[in-house]
Amino acid sequence: MPVKVIESGILTTIQDLGRPGYYHLGIPVGGAMDRLALRSANALVGNPEDAAGLEFAFMGPVMEFTEDASFAVCGADIPAKVNDVEQPGWTVIDVRSGDILSFGFLRSRARGYIAFSGGIDTPQSLGSRATYAIGALGGYEGRALQPNDILPLGPEKTGGRAGKSIPSNLRRATSASTKLRMIPGLYWHRIVKKSQLNFFEDVWTVANEADRMGYRFHGGREMKFVEREQPFGAGSDPSNITDACYPYGSVQVPSGTEPIVLHRDAVSGGGYFMIGTVISADMDLIAQLQPHTKVRFAEVDMAAALNARASRKAMLSEIREVLK
């Protein structure tokens, strides 16, 4: 059941839940930035939760169905339209051969996810269909979609689900002011106590440099560093370290000015210090932050991070239960 791309939207890529196991080789896990949204869309149309779908940012694609199918759109609040008729989000929609899927203007959040019944059936690279454009891996020829691309779909796994929906209380949303929970890390001691306090007190703003590699934030006070003797192999800037591994969600602050949270397609190591790591339960939330959104960071410990992860798993279980 191929789908033809008429207009590609913005940064529309094929994504699944990524390719774990290659980080030590410099290849990030990748996959959907908002994993809850992709899992939800797949569950709605009866796919395995790790099936490949589409991720787009701010503006959705225009596509033509060449055979009957079902789809669901989750994540960003952006109205999907079939033949110019608006459809509900987080809901299964049936379409016929020749129907056109398009999108209206973005209302809130940043990234939308489209799952098709049967999933997108492009070839796998290192066990995943996720697009890693920097390495030209996966997806559609290793790149974002372009007009006239043809997306093959797998055999439909289910039917008769049209109108099935995920309740609004299970659709995690962002707000005008968002709190991101962070565990201080190995290099937290490199900034003075006052700067440590300022970091959590300050209101930060999402910068325009916000993509699959990472989100930059500005607006807080500049950090002051503890004096040191420059280590062998490290750069001269006080934020430089001898090259080290970057955990997913690491918070870098080059020169102590603007924090960067590393996201799905970030490099796996380098020479900037990391003051901490945003907890895994909040990484989906970052994916839905628009530029100019106000953010505060909140210090948490490992116990709080594990509790947040458990709450997220419970939310997924509730979604699965609703869709049985």
Side-chain angles (χ1 to χ4, degrees):
M1 295 186 295
V3 179
K4 180 179 180 179
V5 179
I6 300 173
E7 297 177 14
S8 57
I10 297 179
L11 295 176
T12 302
T13 56
I14 297 171
Q15 299 294 344
D16 54 22
L17 295 184
R19 48 178 61 83
Y22 300 95
Y23 205 52
H24 65 295
L25 300 176
I27 300 173
V29 173
M33 289 183 69
D34 185 345
R35 296 165 74 90
L36 179 66
L38 180 63
R39 285 180 182 273
S40 298
N42 273 322
L44 277 164
V45 298
N47 293 340
E49 292 179 12
D50 61 352
L54 295 181
E55 173 186 277
F56 63 86
F58 307 115
M59 180 184 294
V62 179
M63 319 186 81
E64 179 183 358
F65 292 90
T66 63
E67 293 187 32
D68 298 355
S70 299
F71 74 91
V73 180
C74 297
D77 183 6
I78 182 170
K81 300 179 180 181
V82 175
N83 303 327
D84 289 327
V85 177
E86 186 170 327
Q87 307 294 322
W90 301 77
T91 301
V92 183
I93 308 298
D94 284 348
V95 289
R96 301 291 186 185
S97 178
D99 284 348
I100 302 295
L101 169 63
S102 61
F103 290 85
F105 293 107
L106 182 71
R107 293 167 178 159
S108 65
R109 301 191 280 278
R111 286 177 173 78
Y113 294 83
I114 313 170
F116 304 97
S117 51
I120 296 175
D121 196 22
T122 50
Q124 293 188 348
S125 296
L126 300 179
S128 170
R129 295 181 174 89
T131 306
Y132 177 45
I134 297 171
L137 284 176
Y140 194 97
E141 300 179 356
R143 58 167 170 77
L145 296 188
Q146 298 176 3
N148 298 316
D149 287 344
I150 303 294
L151 305 180
L153 302 184
E156 189 170 351
K157 301 295 192 299
T158 186
R161 300 170 63 90
K164 194 78 172 177
S165 180
I166 292 176
S168 58
N169 65 305
L170 296 178
R171 309 174 189 179
R172 186 176 184 184
T174 58
S175 62
S177 181
T178 299
K179 181 178 292 186
L180 299 176
R181 291 166 289 185
M182 187 196 86
I183 298 177
L186 291 175
Y187 301 92
W188 183 240
H189 67 283
R190 287 289 304 118
I191 56 176
V192 301
K193 184 67 175 180
K194 179 62 175 175
S195 291
Q196 293 175 350
L197 296 173
N198 291 347
F199 177 74
F200 291 119
E201 290 176 355
D202 288 347
V203 176
W204 300 89
T205 302
V206 177
N208 291 327
E209 301 90 344
D211 57 23
R212 290 189 52 82
M213 289 192 68
Y215 265 60
R216 183 186 293 270
F217 299 85
H218 60 76
R221 285 167 281 187
E222 182 177 349
M223 295 178 181
K224 304 300 181 183
F225 290 87
V226 174
E227 291 189 11
R228 65 160 191 183
E229 181 179 341
Q230 182 180 342
F232 177 78
S236 59
D237 189 281
S239 65
N240 292 146
I241 57 172
T242 303
D243 283 5
C245 298
Y246 292 157
Y248 169 64
S250 293
V251 183
Q252 300 178 348
V253 194
S255 299
T257 55
E258 296 183 339
I260 301 171
V261 179
L262 303 186
H263 221 289
R264 292 288 172 195
D265 286 354
V267 296
S268 58
Y272 284 116
F273 85 135
M274 300 147 281
I275 60 172
T277 305
V278 173
I279 66 173
S280 61
D282 285 354
M283 291 302 290
D284 286 354
L285 184 59
I286 292 177
Q288 296 296 354
L289 296 178
Q290 294 185 12
H292 312 300
T293 302
K294 302 298 183 183
V295 167
R296 294 188 68 172
F297 291 89
E299 181 178 1
V300 296
D301 58 16
M302 183 61 71
L306 293 174
N307 286 336
R309 180 186 293 182
S311 296
R312 186 178 180 278
K313 287 183 176 180
M315 187 176 185
L316 275 168
S317 296
E318 192 171 350
I319 289 172
R320 295 179 187 122
E321 189 65 28
V322 165
L323 297 179
K324 278 185 178 180

